[in-house]
Amino acid sequence: LAGQLAEVLDADPPAHVERVEVAGPGFVNFHLAPTWLHEVLREVVTGGEQGYARPDVGHSTSVNVEFVSPNPTGPVHAGHGRHAAYGDSLARLLERSGYEVQRECYLNDRGVQMQHYAASLAARKAGRPVPEDGYRGEYIAEWAAEMPDDADPLVWGEERALADQREVLERMNVRFDTWFSERSLVDRGAIEATLDDLRRRSVVYDHEGAVWLRSSDYGDDKDRVLVKSDGEPTYLLPDVAYHRDKLARGADLLINVLGADHHGYETRMGAALQALGHEPTVLEVPMVQMVSLQRGGTPVRLSKRTGDIVELREVIDEVGPDAARLTFLLQSTTSQQTFDLEVVASQAMENPVFYIQMAHARIAGIVRVAGERGVERQPLTAVDLGLLTHERELDVLRQLSELPETIVVACTDRAPHRITTWVHDFAGAFHGFYHDCYVIHPDVPADLAQARLWLVEAARVGLAIGLGLLGVSAPESM
């Protein structure tokens, strides 16, 4: 059978197939001409940054991606940086893959911690010691000094914390469509309405003065308390109300990016949403492992300004926002990460951040030199791409051919680090081309220079797409 297949295919080969051969039982090998990669180049430059590698996986499904969600009681810490980079890049992947995405940050702006925070600001403002259960970082003293004498510490303090958080996250190219207030759920009576909805569905019951959710009917290992015997809701009920609200706002899929300490959360919340009549697949909870900060292999001390954390602001100040973000995205969030500030800040090819961005800088440099020497890129239809036969040229094009499928896999697996891997590998392919294949040079014939200029443009498009998905800038020089 294999011999017959090879005979028929050899008699009338498909496009780009040089020959077909039988390779043992069960295998037919196709040997492709470089022309298939020349077609890839045409696809890349014709589609451009907006059109190439844009698979429609989501089919306009509306997805709410909730991530970071720090308490509005102080600055965001370095660990939040990994959440921010992951959540935003996941949102970018989803958008490019045909989803309609809402980025959301949840504000836990009610409860005892907010009271402790406000009391700490008030005490510092009045020159009194911070309460025993208050916040003691130097930022409390700084913000208290800014606070007007007639300000409500709770209201003003929340706004000040959010302003600080927004400013730092925006430096890392992270912005939210919605900053959702938990307090608004209380003000609108959404928590009571959610409990009423659950009662109507007969999925809660009263026992020993408390109200319980029949979560064990929906895959949880036990039933969960929604309202304690003293009448106070547990953390679960407001959270159920919040997810009910997100779905009511039109989301078809909820993705909550949480820390690894939220083990069991997806099962509990998934059971609650099923109890409300939703499918189990409506909720996904990617977990992000912790980050260990080092400097030259030595653990970084805690911040003096905050007292008990290292601020994300300090990391960005030291290594830059692009380097910080790309480093957070180097590996899967299912593994713990060691972030060495000294390595990340280094201007060396061993530094993956520098290595990747240098590739784009080299692309820009080639274009710049061509302009300085008066070499204009001719229309693609007038250029002989068949001249691109060097293995380094073909390596670049092979990498570009893999980008669409890489985006599909990264989106489906909720794994932005796969894009980082592709970008790093692609940068390596381009560095090899840059080293071995001159573009604008007296020894390079004009027709080959034109083909290579189009190869450089295709590389620029691919790298811009990859860096865009990672939320990292594409520098013109390094």
Side-chain angles (χ1 to χ4, degrees), residues 202-409:
S202 301
V203 292
V204 298
Y205 61 94
D206 299 302
H207 178 64
E208 296 181 348
V211 181
W212 297 70
L213 175 68
R214 298 185 189 277
S215 48
S216 60
D217 289 352
Y218 301 95
D220 200 357
D221 59 350
K222 62 181 178 181
D223 292 346
R224 304 287 173 174
V225 177
L226 295 174
V227 182
K228 295 180 288 186
S229 56
D230 61 4
E232 284 294 313
T234 63
Y235 79 92
L236 182 59
L237 181 55
D239 222 11
V240 175
Y242 171 49
H243 286 73
R244 178 174 175 267
D245 183 89
K246 285 197 282 190
L247 292 166
R249 283 186 268 138
D252 302 311
L253 172 64
L254 307 180
I255 299 179
N256 297 356
V257 180
L258 298 177
D261 56 339
H262 287 76
H263 179 72
Y265 175 90
E266 185 172 11
T267 302
R268 291 191 294 273
M269 188 54 59
L273 292 176
Q274 288 181 68
L276 285 169
H278 299 285
E279 293 297 321
T281 53
V282 77
L283 176 67
E284 297 178 17
V285 185
M287 296 288 186
V288 179
Q289 291 287 341
M290 296 184 66
V291 177
S292 172
L293 285 177
Q294 296 184 1
R295 184 179 286 105
T298 303
V300 174
R301 289 186 174 185
L302 299 177
S303 167
K304 292 181 179 179
R305 184 167 176 266
T306 54
D308 58 352
I309 61 171
V310 176
E311 281 190 61
L312 178 58
R313 180 189 303 278
E314 297 172 281
V315 174
I316 294 174
D317 287 345
E318 185 160 342
V319 305
D322 280 346
R325 179 157 177 156
L326 193 52
T327 300
F328 285 128
L329 293 169
L330 281 174
Q331 62 196 83
S332 170
T333 53
T334 59
S335 59
Q336 293 192 6
Q337 182 176 42
T338 298
F339 189 124
D340 195 308
L341 296 164
E342 187 175 297
V343 172
V344 175
S346 66
Q347 298 286 299
M349 293 297 267
E350 292 76 22
N351 175 1
V353 179
F354 184 82
Y355 184 79
I356 290 168
Q357 290 192 313
M358 177 56 79
H360 193 274
R362 282 177 163 174
I363 290 171
I366 292 170
V367 174
R368 191 162 52 247
V369 168
E372 291 168 354
R373 299 185 184 179
V375 180
E376 293 186 12
R377 194 173 63 223
Q378 299 301 308
L380 184 61
T381 53
V383 175
D384 182 7
L385 297 181
L387 297 172
L388 300 175
T389 58
H390 193 287
E391 191 58 29
R392 294 295 197 184
E393 297 165 336
L394 301 181
D395 278 348
V396 171
L397 293 173
R398 285 191 193 95
Q399 290 285 342
L400 283 170
S401 75
E402 295 173 3
L403 180 56
E405 180 62 22
T406 301
I407 290 175
V408 170
V409 172

Side-chain angles (χ1 to χ4, degrees), residues 45-309:
V45 298
T46 301
E49 291 179 46
Q50 298 304 313
Y52 184 65
R54 188 176 285 277
D56 188 10
V57 176
H59 309 297
S60 298
T61 298
S62 176
V63 54
N64 181 296
V65 183
E66 179 203 338
F67 58 105
V68 184
S69 299
N71 290 341
T73 56
V76 289
H77 58 70
H80 285 132
R82 194 179 193 192
H83 287 248
Y86 172 83
D88 185 66
S89 287
L90 175 59
R92 290 166 184 261
L93 266 171
L94 292 164
E95 285 172 331
R96 193 167 190 94
S97 302
Y99 290 85
E100 295 179 2
V101 180
Q102 281 285 308
R103 296 165 174 81
E104 186 149 319
C105 185
Y106 181 67
L107 302 176
N108 186 2
D109 56 1
R110 61 181 285 271
V112 67
Q113 291 304 317
M114 289 300 295
Q115 299 299 325
H116 292 333
Y117 169 55
S120 301
L121 286 172
R124 283 286 195 174
K125 184 68 176 180
R128 300 191 308 269
V130 172
E132 184 177 342
D133 47 9
Y135 289 76
R136 287 176 166 72
E138 288 185 13
Y139 76 94
I140 292 291
E142 295 172 14
W143 292 359
E146 298 175 17
M147 186 171 63
D149 294 338
D150 59 349
D152 180 333
L154 185 61
V155 176
W156 186 92
E158 179 178 349
E159 292 176 352
R160 183 63 182 83
L162 291 180
D164 187 85
Q165 293 174 7
R166 283 193 181 98
E167 187 266 327
V168 173
L169 290 169
E170 285 186 4
R171 286 180 64 189
M172 254 182 59
N173 207 12
V174 175
R175 296 171 184 85
F176 292 97
D177 301 300
T178 304
W179 293 73
F180 189 90
S181 164
E182 181 180 341
R183 197 168 56 242
S184 70
L185 290 173
V186 178
D187 296 341
R188 290 187 284 111
I191 296 175
E192 292 81 359
T194 300
L195 186 57
D196 290 343
D197 194 356
L198 291 168
R199 284 194 183 280
R200 282 193 299 272
R201 295 173 181 273
S202 301
V203 292
V204 298
Y205 61 94
D206 299 302
H207 178 64
E208 296 181 348
V211 181
W212 297 70
L213 175 68
R214 298 185 189 277
S215 48
S216 60
D217 289 352
Y218 301 95
D220 200 357
D221 59 350
K222 62 181 178 181
D223 292 346
R224 304 287 173 174
V225 177
L226 295 174
V227 182
K228 295 180 288 186
S229 56
D230 61 4
E232 284 294 313
T234 63
Y235 79 92
L236 182 59
L237 181 55
D239 222 11
V240 175
Y242 171 49
H243 286 73
R244 178 174 175 267
D245 183 89
K246 285 197 282 190
L247 292 166
R249 283 186 268 138
D252 302 311
L253 172 64
L254 307 180
I255 299 179
N256 297 356
V257 180
L258 298 177
D261 56 339
H262 287 76
H263 179 72
Y265 175 90
E266 185 172 11
T267 302
R268 291 191 294 273
M269 188 54 59
L273 292 176
Q274 288 181 68
L276 285 169
H278 299 285
E279 293 297 321
T281 53
V282 77
L283 176 67
E284 297 178 17
V285 185
M287 296 288 186
V288 179
Q289 291 287 341
M290 296 184 66
V291 177
S292 172
L293 285 177
Q294 296 184 1
R295 184 179 286 105
T298 303
V300 174
R301 289 186 174 185
L302 299 177
S303 167
K304 292 181 179 179
R305 184 167 176 266
T306 54
D308 58 352
I309 61 171

